[in-house]
Each structure stands twice: as C-alpha cells, then as structure tokens.
Amino acid sequence: MDLHNKDILPREILPVVVIGYTPYLSPEGTHPNPLLQGKLDQQPHLSLLELDLEYLCEGLEGRSSNPVAVLFDSLLLPDSDFGLEHASPLLWRYEPERATPHLVLGKGPPGGAWHAMEGSMLTLSLANWMELPGLKLKEWMREKRRNVRNDRATPAEIASYYQHYVNQMGLEDSFACGTTVTSIQRVNYEGASSRSFWKVQGTQKREADELGEGSLSEVPFIVCADYVVLATGTHDIPARLGVEGEGLPFVCHSFWELEAAISRGQLDHTSDPVLVVGAGLTAADAVLAAHHLNTPVYHAFRRSVTDPGLIFNQLPKLLYPEYHKVHQMMTQQQQHGQDIPSSGGTGTLVDQQENNTASMSTGSYPGYISLPKHRVVAFKPDRKCVLEGEDGCRTVLQVSMALVLIGAHPNLSFLPENGRPLGLNPQEPITCRRNPLEVDPYTYESVSEGGLYAMGPLVGENFVRFLKGGALAIASDLAKKQRAKEENRTTLRVS
C-alpha cells in the first residue's frame, strides 16, 4: 500500500486491527481441559471476541506469564507442551461484516525480522507453534519441499509463510511496507476537547520515477487513528556492554556482521580467534557458524554452564541437537582465565596467548574455548580483549573480531522520552526482559495511555506461539469498544 497515493486527512480517522475471520467454539470441538470446556459450553453461540477472556483464563497454567496468551495457546494447541496433538476446538468463520479498517506500518515486507535472519538455520519453536489461524504451516511447507522431516522450520520458510499469509487472506491493502514512523502523538478533535485521536507521522520509501528507474525517495505521510497498536519487536538496537573500546571497528553487535565477514573470506582456520560474548541462542549460532569454518572461537559469558536460567538447560536435547552440541562445548572446553598483572608486560601477554592457543588444540572440540563467569573489561585498538573472571583475575586475548551478542532493545524514538513513561518502571529505559511496557493483562491496553496497545516482545512475549494471545486480547477489547459505540448511537437515536 502506497500511503502517499491515499488522501488520508486528519479528519479521516481509522479504527484498527480486527480482520474478518472470527474464532468460535466448533460444535464438534472438545478441549482436554474439562474446566475450560465447561466455560466454553456456557455460551457456544458467541465468538471468542465476545466472551469474558478474564473468566476463561482463570485456573489455566502455561509457559507464558500473560494469561490471555496461555488461553489462546491452549485453544489453538491443546496440551502441546506434553507432545500431544489434540485438534483445536476452535472454528474460524469468515465474517466480512465484522472486518474493521486497519493499517499495518512496517519497515520491510510482512514477516518482519524473519526476513533478516539466516535462512538455513532452524527455528527454536516447532513449526506448528509458528502458524497463524486459517493456514496450516506444515501443509504449506509440504507444497514447497517434498520432505518435511523436521518439526522445525527455517527462518526463510517462516518469512515466506507470513508473506504468503497476508496475500492468502487478502490483507495486502492493509499493509504499508517501507515505512518508518517518526512520531506518534495524541491530538484533540477540533471543537471536542473530550475526544482525541492518534496522529502518526513518518516516511515511506517509494520508487521515484522522475529520478530514474530504481531510485528511491522518502515520502512523508500522516495517518490518524482512534487506536494504535505497538508491535515493533526488539531487534532494532543491539544491547551494548558499555565498556572501553566497544566502538572499535573489530567489535560487532549482530550475527549478520559475522556472516558478512565469512562471505568476504575474512575468516578461516588460519585467522586469529573470534570472540563471542553472550550465552543466548544468537551467540550459539555464531559459535556454530565460526566453528564450522574451523575458525578458532573464544566464548565468554557471565553465567555458569549449570545455571538453570541458561536457555540451553531448558531445551530438550533430542529436539535441539545443535544447541545441545554448543552446550556440550561450553561445558567440556571450559578454561579459567589466568591473572594478568596490572603492569601487563609484553612477555606476560605473549605467554598467556600461547597458553590459550595450546588449550585450543586439545579436548573434544579443538578450536573452541569456553570462558564461563567472565565479563569483558575493555577492547583495545590492537584487537586485544581484556576479560575478568569472577575471582578478579584478568585474561588478555588476541582476536580477529569480537561479537557482542547479548540481546537487543526496541527503538521507540517515535514516542515521547522513548516510551519510558509507559514502562513498568518509568525511570528506566524500555527493555523487553527487565522493563516491558505496562499493559492490562486482559486487553493489552497501556495502563498509562488509553487507546494505545502493545504486544509481542514489548510486553515480554518473545515467541510467536504466545504473542497471538496479545492479538486476541486487543481484537477482543476493540470489538467491545466498537459495540459500546454502536449501542450509544442507538440510545441517542431512540432518545
């Protein structure tokens, strides 16, 4: 959708976010949880959008802290955490009369960050956990490739599936790609101070025919809406260590920079080691990619390898063999740093490097050294990295490049104060783990800003499997508000 071709004026206020597919309890559907089934049977003629979600959530438990996410996941994938494949009791009806005008603004095509991920790796979630209502992912995958041997998909498949989903559901006209939102602000209606709307400003990349084929220009736009849903994810701004030398050219903060170095032929078995900092899945992917090239790897992280909070200790070994391999490497190839005197003579540094090189050639995984319970103290211009262990001892490493892969933060620069007033702690920056946006758990509406909603990582939900519950909560609340408006209009006409 090209925004600059649309005559969108401030008085043309868009509602947001309900599509014409509505979930109902199927007449033949049953749920393995008798308590939930009993509640659903009380009003089987109503859609899920019309039911009391808070009431339905009572007593349910799951792997999300958001109650509606647990509810919707339980309805879409009953007992999936136990490896069972119960049919969903939901029936989806196409009801175009329920469709509400909405607009999705995004920097890239539908599928978002999935398009930027390394396409040949496998997703953490099972394939059916990634699917959206109305289009079976596994069936779609079988049409694309003959054998679907793994229950997990590649990011490239997920990105293509989500893009196809938009086309299959006829939603293309509701997506404005190539857009960057620069400002969102509340504006009062002219002559009606008690009512207001959201004014969204930004730019959209468009082919500029007058400048020649292939050239792009950024066209400004303004969209006005009664409600706005923030679903920006968390990949915009890589988290930083905040240490000396972090801005040096050899220090990188994304997996894609490692891929670029590999594609340029800068890394092989003769290279100085790559330092990977972090103990999440992206850091594990970087370890695997470098190790596959026989490039030596130092792997530093702050936790112990036995820490129950470490993601590798939460993943089934049979389902995630590649991450289990990284965890084995982290466990079996541990090395504790040696004390480097503060005076740091050249001879001491050379001896330390020789010790590390010798250690790399031994063990079950030659070319890899694990440094648990270590933090980075500094990066030096000569490509040396200073690490410190929990005992205060310091190690100096010579590297070819350093990858700091410790997460990312959302870019909310289009909101006042970068969205801080909307967080659980208004004094701290918004982060998806420690300080997400504070929303009502059953509507996902901002506690401090009515008419503004958030979902996904912004409210602490990182898996597609559970963020669908946020969409349900928002759609349900907007449907209730729309019904209330219609009832008020009817009351005014009668009176």
Side-chain angles (χ1 to χ4, degrees):
M1 176 181 176
D2 301 334
L3 292 178
H4 83 289
N5 287 335
K6 303 293 182 182
D7 186 19
I8 300 178
L9 301 174
R11 292 183 180 83
E12 296 177 359
I13 312 301
L14 290 174
V16 187
V17 185
V18 180
I19 303 169
Y21 286 88
T22 311
Y24 288 84
L25 177 65
S26 171
E28 298 81 22
T30 58
H31 196 279
N33 184 324
L35 178 63
L36 180 57
Q37 180 67 41
K39 293 178 180 179
L40 293 170
D41 285 337
Q42 292 173 7
Q43 295 177 301
H45 60 288
L46 295 181
S47 75
L48 195 56
L49 300 179
E50 299 168 285
L51 296 176
D52 185 342
L53 298 183
E54 184 173 357
Y55 171 62
L56 294 178
C57 289
E58 291 175 356
L60 295 181
E61 295 181 354
R63 292 168 60 186
S64 170
S65 59
N66 295 318
V68 182
V70 173
L71 167 66
F72 203 30
D73 178 70
S74 177
L75 291 172
L76 292 171
L77 302 164
D79 283 351
S80 62
D81 282 335
F82 302 106
L84 304 176
E85 293 192 9
H86 286 293
S88 170
L90 295 182
L91 170 68
W92 292 84
R93 295 178 185 168
Y94 179 58
E95 298 178 329
E97 69 278 5
R98 287 181 178 264
T100 302
H102 63 284
L103 183 62
V104 181
L105 305 176
K107 291 182 179 179
W114 291 100
H115 289 278
M117 297 181 187
E118 205 285 311
S120 62
M121 292 183 176
L122 294 174
T123 59
L124 179 63
S125 299
L126 297 176
N128 62 333
W129 293 359
M130 310 293 289
E131 72 184 21
L132 300 178
L135 182 62
K136 292 292 184 182
L137 177 55
K138 278 192 175 181
E139 294 176 8
W140 180 85
M141 287 169 59
R142 288 192 181 96
E143 294 177 1
K144 303 298 176 183
R145 52 186 169 109
R146 293 183 179 179
N147 296 317
V148 182
R149 297 179 180 178
N150 202 304
D151 283 334
R152 294 155 65 196
T154 67
E157 288 171 329
I158 296 300
S160 181
Y161 166 77
Y162 289 150
Q163 198 159 8
H164 178 77
Y165 185 89
V166 170
N167 297 331
Q168 182 81 8
M169 299 300 171
L171 301 173
E172 304 99 315
D173 289 342
S174 297
F175 278 74
C177 303
T179 58
T180 299
V181 174
T182 56
S183 172
I184 295 178
Q185 59 185 134
R186 176 83 78 173
V187 178
N188 289 328
Y189 280 92
E190 293 180 8
S193 58
S194 60
R195 292 194 61 195
S196 61
F197 61 89
W198 292 100
K199 182 180 179 181
V200 182
Q201 295 178 273
T203 60
Q204 183 180 35
K205 291 182 179 179
R206 295 281 300 138
E207 287 190 9
D209 296 334
E210 67 275 10
L211 298 178
E213 185 178 353
S215 61
L216 294 175
S217 65
E218 292 193 349
V219 180
F221 69 83
I222 296 177
V223 173
C224 300
D226 285 325
Y227 308 104
V228 168
V229 179
L230 301 178
T232 59
T234 183
H235 291 279
D236 291 315
I237 305 174
R240 300 177 71 87
L241 296 167
V243 300
E244 174 193 340
E246 193 168 4
L248 291 169
F250 73 93
V251 182
C252 305
H253 294 82
S254 73
F255 180 83
W256 327 125
E257 292 173 279
L258 172 63
E259 283 193 314
I262 292 173
S263 65
R264 291 192 298 265
Q266 295 177 349
L267 297 175
D268 57 28
H269 66 283
T270 65
S271 306
D272 281 334
V274 171
L275 171 65
V276 176
V277 181
L281 299 181
T282 304
D285 290 338
V287 168
L288 290 170
H291 196 63
H292 179 72
L293 294 174
N294 293 319
T295 301
V297 178
Y298 294 127
H299 187 190
F301 45 96
R302 301 192 67 165
R303 294 177 183 266
S304 161
V305 292
T306 58
D307 190 318
L310 204 66
I311 184 64
F312 308 103
N313 292 320
Q314 304 171 27
L315 300 177
K317 296 178 182 179
L318 293 178
L319 195 56
Y320 305 99
E322 74 276 31
Y323 293 128
H324 175 57
K325 176 184 176 181
V326 173
H327 192 223
Q328 277 187 322
M329 295 167 68
M330 295 164 65
T331 303
Q332 297 178 19
Q333 297 288 114
Q334 296 183 58
Q335 177 169 312
H336 299 287
Q338 300 179 27
D339 193 13
I340 302 298
S342 57
S343 57
T346 303
T348 306
L349 294 179
V350 172
D351 290 344
Q352 178 66 24
Q353 189 65 34
E354 288 175 353
N355 290 338
N356 290 328
T357 302
S359 299
M360 276 205 164
S361 62
T362 61
S364 302
Y365 299 98
Y368 172 88
I369 287 180
S370 165
L371 295 160
K373 296 186 177 180
H374 277 69
R375 69 180 186 91
V376 177
V377 176
F379 299 101
K380 301 297 183 180
D382 56 358
R383 294 181 183 263
K384 284 187 170 66
C385 303
V386 182
L387 304 182
E388 184 176 272
E390 64 175 345
D391 57 359
C393 293
R394 292 191 174 186
T395 302
V396 178
L397 305 174
Q398 181 74 52
V399 302
S400 59
M401 69 183 300
L403 286 161
V404 179
L405 303 173
I406 55 173
H409 302 313
N411 181 2
L412 299 177
S413 59
F414 50 82
L415 292 174
E417 300 180 55
N418 292 302
R420 283 193 184 199
L422 306 177
L424 289 173
N425 182 352
Q427 307 305 317
E428 296 293 328
I430 298 297
T431 61
C432 299
R433 290 184 179 179
R434 295 181 177 84
N435 191 34
L437 300 187
E438 185 178 12
V439 296
D440 182 286
Y442 300 102
T443 67
Y444 283 58
E445 186 173 20
S446 169
V447 170
S448 56
E449 221 22 287
L452 185 67
Y453 298 80
M455 60 180 289
L458 290 178
V459 296
E461 205 62 85
N462 292 299
F463 293 100
V464 173
R465 172 186 176 185
F466 293 116
L467 66 81
K468 289 177 281 190
L472 170 66
I474 295 168
S476 174
D477 193 53
L478 293 178
K480 287 182 175 64
K481 289 180 177 178
Q482 186 63 30
R483 289 196 300 271
K485 286 182 180 179
E486 292 172 356
E487 290 172 2
N488 286 338
R489 291 194 195 103
T490 303
T491 301
L492 289 173
R493 289 194 195 102
V494 171
S495 59

